[in-house]
Amino acid sequence: MTLEKAKAALDRIIKISRVHLYKPIQIAEILHRDRVNQDIDLTDIDTYRNTSKAWRNTITDRFVGRSSSSSAEYQEALFTKAIPPQTLVILGEENRLKGGIIEAYI
C-alpha cells in the first residue's frame, strides 16, 4: 500500500464519520501512542485493538462529553474494513517521520 492510498482510506473514514468523529479520534490516539509511547506494534492489532477504545473515550469524553456506545461489531469494522493494520503501519511511518502530522491532520 502507498501513502496516497493510506491517506485516502483515512479521508474516507473522516468523511463518513458521525458527528463525534469517534473512529478518526481512535486512529489519532493509536498513532499518537505509537509515536510517543512506542509501546504498541502497528502490525499487531492485539497490541491496540481493545485499549485504543479507552484512549479514544478519554479524548471524546473531554471534547464532546461522551463516549462511543456503538456495538462491538461496528467498532471492530474500523480495523477490518476501514483502516486495517497494514494501513496503520503506513500512516504510522509518516506520522513518526513528520512529528505527528497525521494526528494533527485528524
Side-chain angles (χ1 to χ4, degrees):
M1 174 172 288
T2 65
L3 177 59
E4 290 76 24
K5 287 182 181 180
K7 185 180 177 297
L10 179 60
D11 285 341
R12 272 192 307 278
I13 197 73
I14 291 170
K15 183 178 180 179
I16 65 170
S17 285
R18 295 178 178 155
V19 68
H20 296 110
L21 297 173
Y22 295 122
K23 287 182 179 183
I25 289 171
Q26 189 168 353
I27 295 301
E29 287 305 301
I30 292 167
L31 295 173
H32 177 78
R33 187 80 182 213
D34 172 65
R35 180 176 62 84
V36 174
N37 296 69
Q38 301 175 353
D39 60 352
I40 61 173
D41 177 357
L42 295 178
T43 65
D44 182 1
I45 194 170
D46 291 327
T47 66
Y48 55 84
R49 172 190 283 142
N50 293 323
T51 53
S52 66
K53 294 172 191 172
W55 306 333
R56 173 205 62 212
N57 288 343
T58 297
I59 297 302
T60 60
D61 284 343
R62 192 167 22 157
F63 286 171
V64 297
R66 58 188 285 194
S67 301
S68 175
S69 60
S70 299
S71 70
E73 181 181 342
Y74 178 79
Q75 291 187 45
E76 185 63 22
L78 174 61
F79 303 116
T80 58
K81 296 178 183 172
I83 307 286
Q86 62 267 27
T87 304
L88 271 176
V89 167
I90 302 226
L91 294 171
E93 288 172 3
E94 186 74 1
N95 193 56
R96 285 187 305 278
L97 275 173
K98 295 189 177 164
I101 194 167
I102 305 296
E103 298 164 53
Y105 178 77
I106 293 170

